Amino acid sequence: MAAAKKAVLGPLVGAVDQGTSSTRFLVFNSKTAELLSHHQVEIKQEFPREGWVEQDPKEILQSVYECIEKTCEKLGQLNIDISNIKAIGVSNQRETTVVWDKLTGEPLYNAVVWLDLRTQSTVENLSKRIPGNNNFVKSKTGLPLSTYFSAVKLRWLLDNVRKVQRAVEEDRALFGTIDSWLIWSLTGGANGGVHCTDVTNASRTMLFNIHSLEWDKELCEFFEIPMKILPNVRSSSEIYGLMKISHSLKAGALEGVPISGCLGDQSAALVGQMCFQDGQAKNTYGTGCFLLCNTGRKCVFSEHGLLTTVAYKLGRDKPVYYALEGSVAIAGAVIRWLRDNLGIIQTSEEIEKLAKEVGTSYGCYFVPAFSGLYAPYWEPSARGIICGLTQFTNKCHIAFAALEAVCFQTREILDAMNRDCGIPLSHLQVDGGMTNNKILMQLQADILYIPVVKPSMPETTALGAAMAAGAAEGVGVWSLEPEDLSAVTMERFEPQINAEESEIRYSTWKKAVMKSVGWVTTQSSESGDPSIFCSLPLGFFIVSSMVMLIGARYISGQLLFKLDTFIS
C-alpha cells in the first residue's frame, strides 16, 4: 500500500514556551495562526529552604527536547511534514537565573527562580547605598530594587557558590536567563552555542539600561557583576543561530532550522494578543499573573507601584516599544499549592468543580503572599494567610477563595494601571492556562466590573514567540502588518453582580491584605528558619484551622496541646 501523502500546509513555525510550571513546544501555521500540534511536560520546582525556589537547568533543557520530539511525532501522525517548520521562537519564564560552564555545558548551580526570596537581606543592604534623591537603579531599569530580578540572584551565586566563583575567575562562566540557556544549548552548547538574550529578557535583570538598550556599566559596578559573563543583547526578532540537534532527537528534520524569535513570556503574550497599539493591554494567568499595557515608544514611569519594562523590539532596525506592567507573584501557583501541599485536589482542573459546588467563599479570604507581595505593594514581609474562617468553612470555600484571590490581585494592578494611564480600560484581554476555568473568568468580570475577553486559542504566549520568529529578517513567513493579522474569535464574560457588591468584596479583600503584611523579618527569610514571633501565629493559625476543617478534633486537640507546651 502506498504511503499516505503528507498534508500540504503553508510554512510552519515552532515555539518553545518554557514556563515556571511546564515546558511546551507548539507548531503554528504561519498563514492562519492555527495551532496544529503541541506537547507539554510539567517541570519540578525545588524548595530547599523556606523562601528558596530552584529548578534544574538540565531538566528544563531535557523537557524542551522531549516536547520537540513528541510534537514532531504528533505532526507525523497527522500527516504533516515537519520539514515545513521554517523557524523556531523561544518564550520563557523571566528573571530566573542560570550560570553555567561554557567549556562543559554544565550548570554550576540550580536555576534560581524568579519567585525566590533568599536575597532579601542583599536587597536591603543595597537599598541603603541608593541616594534617596537619585534612585538611579529605577530610573535606568524601570524596576524597583527587589528579590524578583536577576541581578541580586546572580550576586548571591557569586557570593555563595564556590563553583561559580572559580568559573568566573577562570573565564569559564556564562550567565543567562532561561532564554539564554536554551538558545546557547540548542545552537550547539559547548560546540559553538550562541550566548545571547533579547531586549525584553535583558530588561528584567536590573543590569540593563532600558533607554540606551545596553548593559549598564554603572549598574554592573553597583551590583558587582562582571560584564564579561553577560550575554549579547539582540532584538526580539532576528536569526540568532541554527538548531543543532546534538541530542538523540528523532526530530532530526529541525537540524539547521533558525531560532529567530525570543521574548520573555509576558512580552510574548502581548505580541500574541496583538496589542501593538499604545494603550492596549492584556493579562496573563500563569504561575503568576501579569498585566501589561503597551505605552508605545515612550517609557512611562508609574506612580502607583507598576514596573516600566521593554515590551518588544521586532527587528534589529525596528523601534523599541515599552510597557507598564503589574506583576502578581502567585496566581496558578496557589492552585498547585492546594494540590501538592494540602492535597485538597488531585488535579488542577478540580478547583473549578469544588468552587462550583458552593458558588461563594462564604466570607473566607485567601491572600497567597507566599513570596511576599509584588505590585502594587512591593512588600517582602508579607506571607500567605487564610482568614474569615468559621466552622461552616470547608475545602470548597477555600477553593473558591483561592480563585477570588487571583481576581482581587488583578483588580489591584488594574486600578494602578488605570491611575497611571488616566484612561480606564473598557475591557480586559486575557490569556494563559487558567483562563480555561470559566468560574475564574466570570469572577474576574464581576470583581473588575468590566467585560473579560478571552481568545478561543489561549496559547498566546507561544503564538507571540512564533510570530516574532516567523517575521524575522531572513525568514519572512509571518506578516505582522495589521491587514495580514488573522482575526481571532473571542469569548466574552460580562459582569453579573451589581457594582456595590463588587466593591464590598474588594474592600474586604484589601483588609485581608493588610493583615498579611509584616509577618517576617529579614533574618527569618534569609535563614530559612522564621523567628518564633513571626512563624508561630501563622503556623498555628493555618494548621489548626485546616485540621478543624477536616473535622479531626482529637488531632487538633493534640496539636494545640503540643503547641501550647512548646510556647510555654
Side-chain angles (χ1 to χ4, degrees):
M1 189 168 137
K5 192 175 178 183
K6 296 283 186 185
V8 179
L9 295 169
L12 311 181
V13 180
V16 173
D17 180 6
Q18 205 300 300
T20 317
S21 302
S22 68
T23 298
R24 287 175 290 182
F25 184 69
L26 306 92
V27 174
F28 297 90
N29 183 328
S30 66
K31 299 306 175 191
T32 63
E34 178 192 0
L35 174 60
L36 301 175
S37 188
H38 74 284
H39 189 75
Q40 179 169 346
V41 172
E42 191 166 304
I43 297 292
K44 289 189 199 121
Q45 293 179 37
E46 298 174 26
F47 306 96
R49 296 168 76 173
E50 186 189 335
W52 293 29
V53 190
E54 297 178 0
Q55 291 179 325
D56 180 354
K58 291 175 80 172
E59 183 196 345
I60 290 172
L61 181 59
Q62 176 59 36
S63 72
V64 171
Y65 286 132
E66 182 180 343
C67 287
I68 291 174
E69 184 169 342
K70 297 291 187 188
T71 303
C72 287
E73 285 177 6
K74 290 175 183 178
L75 288 170
Q77 290 162 10
L78 294 169
N79 244 19
I80 295 171
D81 190 347
I82 60 174
S83 67
N84 276 336
I85 298 175
K86 303 303 182 187
I88 292 170
V90 174
S91 162
N92 58 287
Q93 53 171 311
R94 303 168 304 169
E95 299 95 17
T96 296
T97 298
V98 188
V99 179
W100 67 94
D101 187 318
K102 67 183 179 185
L103 302 182
T104 66
E106 289 294 310
L108 298 168
Y109 191 78
N110 271 347
V112 181
V113 176
W114 57 277
L115 286 164
D116 188 279
L117 293 176
R118 75 187 68 187
T119 55
Q120 186 52 40
S121 70
T122 306
V123 167
E124 290 176 10
N125 291 332
L126 286 167
S127 67
K128 293 170 188 169
R129 292 169 43 200
I130 298 175
N133 61 350
N134 178 24
N135 189 339
F136 64 93
V137 174
K138 186 167 186 182
S139 64
K140 289 185 175 204
T141 67
L143 311 174
L145 195 55
S146 166
T147 59
Y148 181 18
F149 307 108
S150 311
V152 288
K153 302 178 193 300
L154 180 52
R155 182 69 258 146
W156 186 91
L157 290 168
L158 291 166
D159 288 339
N160 293 281
V161 181
R162 183 64 193 126
K163 282 169 75 174
V164 172
Q165 295 164 354
R166 194 177 298 122
V168 171
E169 290 161 8
E170 296 172 5
D171 201 24
R172 291 183 287 110
L174 296 178
F175 153 77
T177 42
I178 294 295
D179 57 304
S180 297
W181 164 243
L182 293 180
I183 291 173
W184 185 83
S185 299
L186 293 172
T187 55
N191 298 311
V194 178
H195 187 216
C196 69
T197 188
D198 90 301
V199 288
T200 68
N201 281 295
S203 75
R204 312 297 294 193
T205 60
M206 247 180 352
L207 299 170
F208 185 71
N209 188 313
I210 61 173
H211 310 286
S212 66
L213 303 183
E214 296 172 329
W215 298 121
D216 190 282
K217 190 168 183 291
E218 184 184 14
L219 291 170
C220 290
E221 287 172 355
F222 177 71
F223 291 105
E224 298 179 83
I225 303 296
M227 295 182 79
K228 65 182 180 180
I229 71 173
L230 303 179
N232 292 320
V233 182
R234 313 275 284 271
S235 77
S236 309
S237 178
E238 61 179 271
I239 296 175
Y240 312 113
L242 307 180
M243 287 281 283
K244 289 186 182 173
I245 311 295
S246 55
H247 196 266
S248 58
L249 271 181
K250 294 174 187 172
L254 297 190
E255 178 87 29
V257 173
I259 299 176
S260 53
C262 179
L263 290 151
D265 51 9
Q266 303 315 317
S267 289
L270 195 73
V271 171
Q273 286 266 33
M274 301 177 205
C275 295
F276 294 126
Q277 302 302 314
D278 191 341
Q280 287 186 304
K282 65 89 207 173
N283 196 39
T284 299
Y285 299 76
T287 298
C289 202
F290 302 89
L291 177 63
L292 267 70
C293 180
N294 189 330
T295 62
R297 300 186 194 184
K298 59 185 183 297
C299 280
V300 175
F301 283 85
S302 173
E303 300 294 327
H304 302 97
L306 304 180
L307 311 176
T308 304
T309 198
V310 174
Y312 52 81
K313 185 179 189 292
L314 295 174
R316 271 181 293 196
D317 302 321
K318 297 290 173 65
V320 64
Y321 283 76
Y322 296 95
L324 275 175
E325 175 177 327
S327 314
V328 169
I330 304 294
V334 75
I335 312 304
R336 189 166 175 165
W337 183 82
L338 291 174
R339 184 193 71 184
D340 297 346
N341 292 41
L342 294 193
I344 70 172
I345 52 174
Q346 296 302 308
T347 66
S348 298
E349 292 71 31
E350 282 178 46
I351 193 87
E352 186 171 9
K353 183 182 170 192
L354 284 184
K356 193 173 183 179
E357 280 183 35
V358 287
T360 174
S361 65
Y362 203 78
C364 172
Y365 286 80
F366 189 165
V367 183
F370 302 153
S371 295
L373 290 168
Y374 283 15
Y377 300 98
W378 298 105
E379 182 48 75
S381 72
R383 286 297 179 271
I385 66 167
I386 303 173
C387 54
L389 296 173
T390 70
Q391 285 183 306
F392 182 72
T393 310
N394 62 36
K395 66 181 182 179
C396 297
H397 298 116
I398 289 174
F400 196 94
L403 295 181
E404 275 192 320
V406 175
C407 300
F408 286 131
Q409 291 180 103
T410 298
R411 167 77 186 267
E412 290 191 305
I413 54 177
L414 185 71
D415 283 358
M417 190 80 73
N418 287 339
R419 288 197 294 272
D420 276 325
C421 295
I423 304 169
L425 289 177
S426 59
H427 66 276
L428 183 65
Q429 290 178 230
V430 300
D431 58 79
M434 290 186 81
T435 61
N436 291 323
N437 186 320
K438 291 187 184 299
I439 286 184
L440 177 71
M441 293 295 94
Q442 186 56 56
L443 271 173
Q444 189 66 88
D446 290 344
I447 287 166
L448 296 180
Y449 213 66
I450 58 173
V452 167
V453 180
K454 172 196 163 191
S456 56
M457 199 288 291
E459 303 293 352
T460 52
T461 300
L463 177 61
M467 289 165 67
E473 186 180 345
V475 178
V477 298
W478 204 309
S479 171
L480 299 184
E481 295 301 319
E483 63 271 17
D484 295 327
L485 294 173
S486 304
V488 179
T489 55
M490 296 284 190
E491 187 175 0
R492 193 175 176 94
F493 296 84
E494 299 282 348
Q496 291 182 355
I497 64 173
N498 63 53
E500 185 182 6
E501 184 186 344
S502 180
E503 289 305 316
I504 289 169
R505 282 160 67 176
Y506 183 46
S507 63
T508 310
W509 156 264
K510 290 182 87 70
K511 192 161 66 172
V513 169
M514 289 302 102
K515 293 183 185 301
S516 77
V517 173
W519 280 109
V520 293
T521 61
T522 303
Q523 288 74 21
S524 65
S525 64
E526 286 291 309
S527 67
D529 183 19
S531 65
I532 287 174
F533 174 78
C534 291
S535 69
L536 270 179
L538 181 60
F540 172 88
F541 167 74
I542 290 181
V543 172
S544 59
S545 297
M546 291 307 299
V547 169
M548 179 191 74
L549 288 170
I550 61 173
R553 294 188 182 185
Y554 170 77
I555 297 170
S556 181
Q558 295 296 309
L559 280 169
L560 288 168
F561 171 76
K562 287 177 181 175
L563 281 170
D564 188 53
T565 305
F566 180 68
I567 294 165
S568 61

